Amino acid sequence: MTVGLFIPCYIDQFYPNAAIATLNLLSKLGITVKYPVNQTCCGQPMANSGFEHLTQGCNDLFIDNFDEFDYIVSPSGSCVLHIKDHLHSATAEDKALGIRKKVYELTEFLTDVLKVEKLEARFPHKVGMHQSCHGQRGLMLAQMTELVDKPYSKPLQLLKMVEGLELVELSRADECCGFGGTFCVAEEAVSVKMGKDRIADHINHGAEYITASDMSCLMHMEGILRRQNSEVKVLHIAEILNAE
Amino acid sequence: MSTERKDHAALSDIFNKDEARVDWHDETLWFVRAKRDKAAHNIPEWENLRETASQIKNNVLSDLHNYLVEFETHATNNGVTVHWAADAAEHNQIVHSILQKHKVDRLIKSKSMLTEECHLNEYLHKNGIDVIDTDLGERIVQLAKEPPSHIVLPCIHKKKEEIGELFHEHLGTPEGMADPQFLTAAAREHLRETFLTRRAAITGVNFAVAETGEFVVCTNEGNADMGAHLADVHIACMGIEKIIPKRKNLGVFLRLLTRSATGQPITTYSSHFKKPRPGQEMHIVLVDNGRTTQLSRPDFRNSLKCIRCAACMNTCPVYRRSGGHSYHTAVAGPIGSILAPNLDMREYADLPFASTLCGSCSNVCPVKINIHEQLYKWRQVIVKEGYADPKKKLAMKAMEFTLSSPFVYKNAGKAGRWFMKYAPFTVNNKLNLWYQQREMPAVPKESFGEWYKKNKKND
Amino acid sequence: MSGTKKIKRMTSREQILAKVLANQPNAQPLPADLSTAFPAANPLEAFATVLTNIGGNFVEVKDFNAIKDYISTHFAGQRIVSTLSELAELSEQGWENQDPHTYANVELAVINAHFGVAENAAVWITEDLMHQRAVPFICQQLAIVLSKNEIVQTMHDAYLKIGSAEYGFGSFIAGPSKTADIEQSLVLGAHGPKGMTIFVID
């Protein structure tokens, strides 16, 4: 199988380690991963701001870069959800449809496609799992507390394979962190308050690390943690699953 | 003094100045969400119930014309007078004319968000008619001269000490008395007198049954009943979307409504009004006020399925931390944000953006309105119709330019990182909204793209 | 003014209905009716538990003598009205057919209910059982006499039982009136009765 690595723009620019960990993790699992060097962004920041009509350039670029692969994998729930829901093309709609069917967020790729049962990973720390909303409610990566249905969680399934890792329980298992794209600056007061509350939940339950399948959530929480001079660190789940 | 209307972001900013209060407001509403969860999890078939309610409401919207006519026919045969109001102004005029006919200059009203939407109290007051809201929460905000902040819990934003002060001023309770039991008892006394003396009562309508012409009013307090059964005139006001097809459908909706709203299995009273009391006049006012327009919008018509439970408000992390008044509309929160732009797109252009699109609202909605998807779609409409902030438009065009070209993207990224590293003051300053309360991300020594080129390109 | 053509303007009713007809989406069918999916093993017990949780008073009795004893003990000297002939000796003589406003100081009203619902402890009462509509709301305390065998499981069963019955007014009443409007503190006794007792009789 050929796998194209789709790296969100802000991970590319600010958190390359999450991308490197993703690449290394997939390689360890025997997958040959290729990173199309001319990728930029999925277009979500514009679309979520009401400017979906400006995303055609991004869309076409995405299609050009990723059409050739059997699977497209990305360490980002929200970007994958965006592509799944909104990738269209005026000139190559059949390719767009094809891509929407074969794009996966990292953890669901591991559990559903590769059907990973064990990982050679070790991370002996207390970790709080932040359920990024788009991955959870959009991609169904984990059960949602609002619904009356059987519990499951693909990210947690994988974290449980990591030696020494201690998962902390939270008061509010799946409340939004407040990043929300341009919301983080357009509604700065509420965004930060939401972030502070999320962090407090993790800290109150003893987390040393906060992890998630979305770096955007973590970037937002990290900004607040560092402003608070907190010892708590954020780490993308790929880095934990790849930790030795 | 600035007359510029503040939008949700500005109002939320003010709300967030008192962090302890925000915590209190947030925790109080989360508690209601938690009660809802407990009640829902007690019903193993909950999700099936939601799906059924959703499908019933889908059917209603698809056959609304016939259901409305059917309802009117039966209600009229039952001895009820049915009125039709195209908009808020007409609704107010109709209510007024009924009151005038009966020479009523004072009346009581139980909870009706529809009358709130139409600003009925204000209109009647201007015309010399006194309205007392009898729902305790509504009476409290009425005394405070504020609109309700929540459609089910009108004064959830008020602390008991503040309510105590209001009651001290208006009801003569002892200064400093803030015990909810005492205050409620005082309200009971105060309002009992109005129930016994006022000759006209206005109620809302939770559900109107097309099959029989009856309508149901749900309360915990019994104020709708105390009003209606003692008054000579009962006026029930409803939006045209409150219709349900058959009496038996109430089984589904009454199981869902209160569990979703407060976590109770049912409200204390679910009163079915079919015929006027002998000697009494009963009126129903059917109101459009933009609903037929919303019905014409394929992407947004499902918002008309709403049964006004407010579960979406209780779960919304933004609503809990900004308060209903930040939405500057009668029905606030997630559902309000997809209803209001239909009424006035310019006035409410900010509301669909008052969200992170987390999707929790859609999951708690008992009738499965896809609220978060409609929020996204409203954003596209609002921008297309030209109500977006021009600064945002500029920023988006710049983003489009940067992100559709790998060359521009890579160099912009590099440049941005350079400034962050070597001239942080250009970024870490008051103009940078991110930086107000958050550190910027640390600058890595290279982007992933650059690392890949160096280390993996030749693999 | 004669000879002037009257311009036919649509009434609001016509306008609204025309817009609805033009804008409503394509027909969607009604879903299948629901029935009780998970019946309680002991509906009476379930009813009693919920009633207690919502602030009501569950009193199981063998016969009307027990009810009379209970009322005499708990409501001695109070103004009591009842629609039940079995309780005529406790009820105020000639209370019926007065202006409902005069019931404002009734301490206890005792009436029948058609049936109860286990899942929410509500009882269904139509106006023919109330004597006047205001009665179950205006009294300070409400008592209901309910047959042990008339308890259904859920609201689906309730509406099956009601069927197409004719009534001018009916209400599901679940426990005493209440409010939590002040900081989510539950207070029993808002505008309706402050307390509710259900006598469940064989």
Side-chain angles (χ1 to χ4, degrees):
Chain A
M1 71 167 76
T2 61
V3 173
L5 191 60
F6 158 31
I7 297 297
C9 47
Y10 54 92
I11 291 187
D12 175 33
Q13 296 295 321
F14 296 115
Y15 297 97
N17 288 335
I20 295 168
T22 304
L23 190 148
N24 287 343
L25 180 61
L26 289 169
S27 303
K28 260 195 240 172
L29 294 168
I31 308 295
T32 316
V33 183
K34 186 161 173 240
Y35 170 76
V37 293
N38 283 330
Q39 60 181 284
T40 58
C41 171
C42 66
Q44 192 187 182
M46 290 177 285
N48 282 358
S49 301
F51 293 84
E52 195 179 45
H53 58 282
L54 294 182
T55 59
Q56 201 49 72
C58 274
N59 285 352
D60 289 333
L61 189 58
F62 195 93
I63 294 170
D64 284 341
N65 278 309
F66 288 101
D67 177 55
E68 64 175 276
F69 299 101
D70 295 329
Y71 293 96
I72 303 154
V73 180
S74 179
S76 167
S78 69
C79 304
V80 167
L81 180 66
H82 177 78
I83 294 290
K84 266 188 129 86
D85 283 351
H86 300 293
L87 185 76
H88 291 288
S89 170
T91 51
E93 185 56 22
D94 53 336
K95 285 189 182 170
L97 181 62
I99 286 174
R100 300 206 310 269
K101 292 196 176 142
K102 62 190 180 185
V103 64
Y104 284 84
E105 180 273 341
L106 177 66
T107 61
E108 64 174 353
F109 185 71
L110 295 179
T111 57
D112 297 353
V113 180
L114 299 186
K115 302 207 195 323
V116 167
E117 306 252 302
K118 66 180 179 71
L119 288 169
E120 301 294 319
R122 188 168 181 276
F123 195 76
H125 299 283
K126 286 196 164 128
V127 177
M129 173 80 206
H130 172 70
Q131 297 280 14
S132 299
C133 301
H134 297 138
Q136 185 201 18
R137 295 189 185 86
L139 298 177
M140 313 293 177
L141 296 184
Q143 192 52 275
M144 300 149 251
T145 58
E146 303 95 1
L147 301 182
V148 179
D149 209 341
K150 293 184 292 291
Y152 71 88
S153 170
K154 297 176 193 184
L156 285 185
Q157 204 180 310
L158 296 167
L159 284 178
K160 289 193 176 133
M161 298 175 195
V162 178
E163 195 195 319
L165 188 147
E166 195 186 323
L167 217 51
V168 307
E169 206 175 300
L170 302 168
S171 295
R172 300 187 191 179
D174 54 11
E175 189 180 20
C176 179
C177 70
F179 174 73
T182 51
F183 180 89
C184 74
V185 288
E187 290 255 3
E188 188 262 349
V190 177
S191 172
V192 170
K193 180 59 182 153
M194 286 168 71
K196 279 165 110 173
D197 289 349
R198 274 301 73 229
I199 286 163
D201 198 356
H202 287 266
I203 292 175
N204 288 339
H205 290 91
E208 299 167 59
Y209 288 87
I210 301 176
T211 193
S213 55
D214 260 281
M215 205 65 222
S216 48
C217 308
L218 296 171
M219 175 168 73
H220 165 69
M221 287 191 275
E222 184 187 54
I224 299 170
L225 283 164
R226 283 175 53 214
R227 182 60 63 90
Q228 291 176 350
N229 293 315
S230 172
E231 297 282 304
V232 176
K233 302 245 176 300
V234 306
L235 257 191
H236 190 279
I237 196 171
E239 296 183 68
I240 293 181
L241 299 177
N242 194 49
E244 269 151 37
Chain B
M1 187 181 105
S2 169
T3 50
E4 192 192 296
R5 189 192 48 72
K6 290 189 164 58
D7 64 4
H8 182 274
L11 292 167
S12 304
D13 195 52
I14 297 169
F15 191 82
N16 273 276
K17 293 279 185 258
D18 185 343
E19 188 168 4
R21 199 181 179 101
V22 174
D23 286 336
W24 167 81
H25 187 264
D26 166 68
E27 273 153 27
T28 307
L29 284 162
W30 180 261
F31 173 58
V32 186
R33 153 83 206 266
K35 286 196 286 186
R36 170 256 170 215
D37 285 356
K38 191 153 175 250
H41 278 84
N42 248 348
I43 311 284
E45 72 273 27
W46 181 259
E47 297 302 329
N48 192 25
L49 214 50
R50 287 179 69 218
E51 179 59 31
T52 304
S54 172
Q55 286 184 32
I56 294 172
K57 281 286 180 174
N58 286 343
N59 166 269
V60 168
L61 293 182
S62 76
D63 205 6
L64 188 59
H65 174 275
N66 293 341
Y67 284 133
L68 283 168
V69 173
E70 192 185 352
F71 176 76
E72 179 195 46
T73 306
H74 289 294
T76 308
N77 286 342
N78 292 336
V80 179
T81 309
V82 178
H83 309 260
W84 299 74
D87 55 23
E90 192 174 2
H91 162 269
N92 296 342
Q93 283 155 22
I94 290 170
V95 172
H96 187 200
S97 68
I98 297 169
L99 297 170
Q100 277 178 316
K101 189 179 128 214
H102 288 269
K103 299 191 179 19
V104 168
D105 65 358
R106 57 188 68 189
L107 66 139
I108 42 181
K109 179 160 75 79
S110 62
K111 181 132 25 82
S112 162
M113 287 316 297
L114 192 276
T115 62
E116 198 58 46
E117 187 188 310
C118 297
H119 301 290
L120 177 69
N121 287 16
E122 225 175 274
Y123 176 89
L124 290 177
H125 186 77
K126 271 200 204 111
N127 283 283
I129 297 178
D130 179 53
V131 186
I132 287 194
D133 284 320
T134 59
D135 174 275
L136 179 59
E138 294 227 306
R139 184 63 182 140
I140 290 167
V141 293
Q142 186 173 49
L143 291 173
K145 297 193 172 38
E146 290 172 23
S149 69
H150 186 285
I151 63 178
V152 170
L153 314 164
C155 65
I156 195 78
H157 61 290
K158 284 205 149 346
K159 295 202 163 189
K160 57 184 191 279
E161 291 78 16
E162 290 154 9
I163 297 168
E165 267 168 47
L166 272 172
F167 277 23
H168 170 64
E169 188 189 332
H170 294 275
L171 269 58
T173 50
E175 190 169 6
M177 165 54 71
D179 171 51
Q181 187 103 17
F182 188 100
L183 295 174
T184 304
R188 181 192 171 89
E189 278 307 303
H190 155 70
L191 287 166
R192 201 162 173 86
E193 208 257 318
T194 61
F195 289 127
L196 292 170
T197 55
R198 298 201 171 196
R199 295 186 292 116
I202 293 177
T203 69
V205 168
N206 289 90
F207 306 101
V209 182
E211 182 188 35
T212 59
E214 70 196 281
F215 60 93
V216 179
V217 184
C218 304
T219 71
N220 273 320
E221 297 178 29
N223 54 317
D225 291 285
M226 281 296 280
H229 304 317
L230 295 171
D232 298 331
V233 187
H234 173 188
I235 307 171
C237 305
M238 63 175 266
I240 53 174
E241 84 285 18
K242 289 300 192 74
I243 293 274
I244 59 172
K246 298 184 186 303
R247 185 187 272 176
K248 66 183 171 185
N249 299 142
L250 289 167
V252 174
F253 289 101
L254 290 180
R255 295 189 80 202
L256 283 166
L257 176 65
T258 318
R259 288 185 172 101
S260 301
T262 63
Q264 295 168 269
I266 198 168
T267 44
T268 307
Y269 306 102
S270 309
S271 290
H272 299 42
F273 293 84
K274 193 156 183 285
K275 299 183 179 139
R277 205 172 77 234
Q280 183 197 49
E281 241 182 64
M282 202 184 270
H283 297 259
I284 294 175
V285 188
L286 297 169
V287 183
D288 179 356
N289 201 34
R291 286 155 175 79
T292 48
T293 308
Q294 189 81 315
L295 191 63
S296 73
R297 302 181 194 268
D299 286 336
F300 307 114
R301 63 165 62 108
N302 278 347
S303 60
L304 294 172
K305 290 159 65 173
C306 179
I307 62 174
R308 300 291 193 269
C309 72
C312 61
M313 290 177 213
N314 303 334
T315 198
C316 178
V318 175
Y319 177 90
R320 281 186 268 110
R321 293 176 183 82
S322 58
H325 291 156
S326 298
Y327 294 76
H328 55 92
T329 179
V331 178
I335 185 65
S337 303
I338 60 174
L339 289 172
N342 171 61
L343 296 173
D344 186 336
M345 217 177 288
R346 178 190 300 279
E347 177 74 16
Y348 303 115
D350 56 326
L351 298 186
F353 294 92
S355 164
T356 56
L357 304 179
C358 78
S360 187
C361 50
S362 303
N363 278 349
V364 296
C365 179
V367 290
K368 289 194 165 178
I369 302 171
N370 56 334
I371 302 174
H372 71 295
E373 287 173 1
Q374 293 191 33
L375 287 167
Y376 175 87
K377 294 198 170 132
W378 266 121
R379 294 178 184 191
Q380 314 306 325
V381 172
I382 283 165
V383 165
K384 191 151 163 269
E385 297 293 318
Y387 296 109
D389 186 342
K391 292 197 296 294
K392 208 189 226 182
K393 209 170 169 182
L394 221 60
M396 288 298 142
K397 286 235 134 205
M399 210 183 261
E400 184 204 8
F401 176 67
T402 309
L403 298 175
S404 35
S405 157
F407 176 79
V408 177
Y409 164 78
K410 284 180 211 179
N411 286 296
K414 207 164 181 172
R417 278 179 283 126
W418 187 92
F419 275 99
M420 279 172 69
K421 190 158 187 178
Y422 297 107
F425 61 89
T426 56
V427 170
N428 299 351
N429 57 53
K430 273 202 175 63
L431 295 174
N432 179 356
L433 286 166
W434 175 278
Y435 193 70
Q436 298 306 306
Q437 303 189 66
R438 291 167 283 218
E439 291 298 307
M440 295 293 286
V443 183
K445 60 176 168 42
E446 57 200 347
S447 72
F448 175 73
E450 287 157 3
W451 175 90
Y452 187 85
K453 208 168 169 178
K454 255 193 247 160
N455 295 284
K456 293 282 180 184
K457 191 72 195 284
N458 302 313
D459 282 0
Chain C
M1 284 285 266
S2 65
T4 314
K5 250 206 228 144
K6 274 209 187 121
I7 302 162
K8 182 161 193 259
R9 233 197 274 137
M10 282 174 100
T11 61
S12 289
R13 178 184 182 278
E14 287 160 352
Q15 255 183 64
I16 294 170
L17 285 172
K19 281 195 207 163
V20 170
L21 192 62
N23 296 334
Q24 65 193 23
N26 292 331
Q28 308 254 39
L30 274 170
D33 287 343
L34 290 182
S35 55
T36 296
F38 297 92
N42 187 336
L44 181 62
E45 203 179 293
F47 182 90
T49 306
V50 178
L51 183 65
T52 310
N53 285 343
I54 62 176
N57 192 17
F58 180 85
V59 179
E60 209 166 344
V61 292
K62 260 196 9 229
D63 53 30
F64 277 96
N65 284 326
I67 297 179
K68 285 186 228 174
D69 285 340
Y70 186 97
I71 293 175
S72 306
T73 312
H74 292 85
F75 295 92
Q78 313 264 26
R79 188 182 177 202
I80 301 170
V81 304
S82 178
T83 51
L84 281 80
S85 52
E86 297 91 335
L87 301 177
E89 65 194 69
L90 290 174
S91 171
E92 182 182 286
Q93 289 293 316
W95 71 276
E96 298 92 341
N97 291 322
Q98 288 175 40
D99 174 357
H101 295 75
T102 65
Y103 301 145
N105 62 355
V106 166
E107 186 56 40
L108 176 70
V110 191
I111 63 179
N112 278 317
H114 290 290
F115 62 84
V117 186
E119 71 164 325
N120 52 30
V123 292
W124 173 247
I125 313 174
T126 49
E127 71 184 331
D128 53 309
L129 296 181
M130 297 173 187
H131 171 60
Q132 289 206 44
R133 295 180 187 188
V135 169
F137 303 96
I138 199 172
C139 56
Q140 300 289 348
Q141 298 277 342
L142 178 64
I144 304 288
V145 177
L146 178 67
S147 164
K148 196 176 280 188
N149 304 310
E150 296 292 349
I151 294 185
V152 303
Q153 295 273 359
T154 67
M155 294 301 281
H156 304 304
D157 299 314
Y159 281 100
L160 275 172
K161 206 163 164 73
I162 293 172
S164 54
E166 258 303 320
Y167 49 77
F169 172 78
S171 188
F172 280 104
I173 299 183
S177 72
K178 56 181 77 85
T179 179
D181 271 336
I182 300 177
E183 281 208 44
Q184 282 297 292
S185 286
L186 186 66
V187 177
L188 298 181
H191 302 298
K194 298 184 234 185
M196 189 210 202
T197 301
I198 300 193
F199 295 108
V200 177
I201 197 167
D202 274 337

